């Protein structure tokens, strides 16, 4: 599996994926490129330190379709067959989704469909739910609305703040993203409606 990762920021989920591919926790895979839409993204340097090729494709006032076309072309040039969004702060155009059908994943810091969009951890905190978590899902045309691949629950503690909660969710994100990608590349699955159903290996 040739994996491309899209980032906009610090890239801690990206780092978890890079390490997991290196130590074969994610089997038969290679991270072939990390693309950022921000030249200042901290994750770029980390990717380079791990020997992963990086590319910056900034928006610079381009229309979304045009910007996405550049990214699609870079991913296709590297023969990417799985795109992992890891803190990539833009919605993808329909053309992007069509270029990689059922091949784009995202990680979101809440139990979707609750609290989509920005600041999901604070949204959950303010709402007063007792449990939140993180979700790995396929990316479709909507906002954090694609079919769910894996989720992990994180309790909200009495003495939590949005920051302490975000930190505990992030720890679980790193594990969940690795587990979900490892499962996708090594196990057969089918999608029935919105349900992503993994087959037992014996089948
Ligand atoms: C993570 O919380 C992720 O769930 C969300 O954006 C954040 C990115 O963090 N989509 P990082 O860049 O992976 O550290």
């Amino acid at each position: 599996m040739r994996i491309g990762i899209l980032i906009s920021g610090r890239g801690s989920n990206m780092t978890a994926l890079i390490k997991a591919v290196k130590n074969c926790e994610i089997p038969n895979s290679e991270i072939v490129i990390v693309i950022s839409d921000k030249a200042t993204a901290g994750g770029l340097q980390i990717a380079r330190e791990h020997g992963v090729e990086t590319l910056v494709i900034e928006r610079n006032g381009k229309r979304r379709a045009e910007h996405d076309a550049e990214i699609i072309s870079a991913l296709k040039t590297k023969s990417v067959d799985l795109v992992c969004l890891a803190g990539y702060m833009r919605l993808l155009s329909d053309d992007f989704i069509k270029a990689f059908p059922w091949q784009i994943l995202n990680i979101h810091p809440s139990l979707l469909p609750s609290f989509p969009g920005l600041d999901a951890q604070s949204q959950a905190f303010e709402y007063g739910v007792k449990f939140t978590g993180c979700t790995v899902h396929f990316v479709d045309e909507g906002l954090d609305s694609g079919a769910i691949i894996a989720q992990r629950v994180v309790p909200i503690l009495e003495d939590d703040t949005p920051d302490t909660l975000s930190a505990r969710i992030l720890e679980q994100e790193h594990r969940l993203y690795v587990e979900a990608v490892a499962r996708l590349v090594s196990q057969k699955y089918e999608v029935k409606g919105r349900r992503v159903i993994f087959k037992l290996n014996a089948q």
Side-chain angles (χ1 to χ4, degrees), residues 6-16 43 85-89 106-110 117 120-121 133-135 137 144 166 169-170 173-174 177:
L6 265 53
I7 62 168
S8 299
R10 68 188 163 187
S12 71
N13 280 289
M14 171 211 76
T15 307
L85 308 187
Y88 184 67
M89 298 304 286
N106 183 40
I107 178 119
H108 182 77
S110 76
Q121 305 95 326
C134 46
T135 303
H137 63 93
D144 301 322
S166 299
I169 294 174
L170 191 63
E173 287 184 41
H174 298 159
Y177 215 172

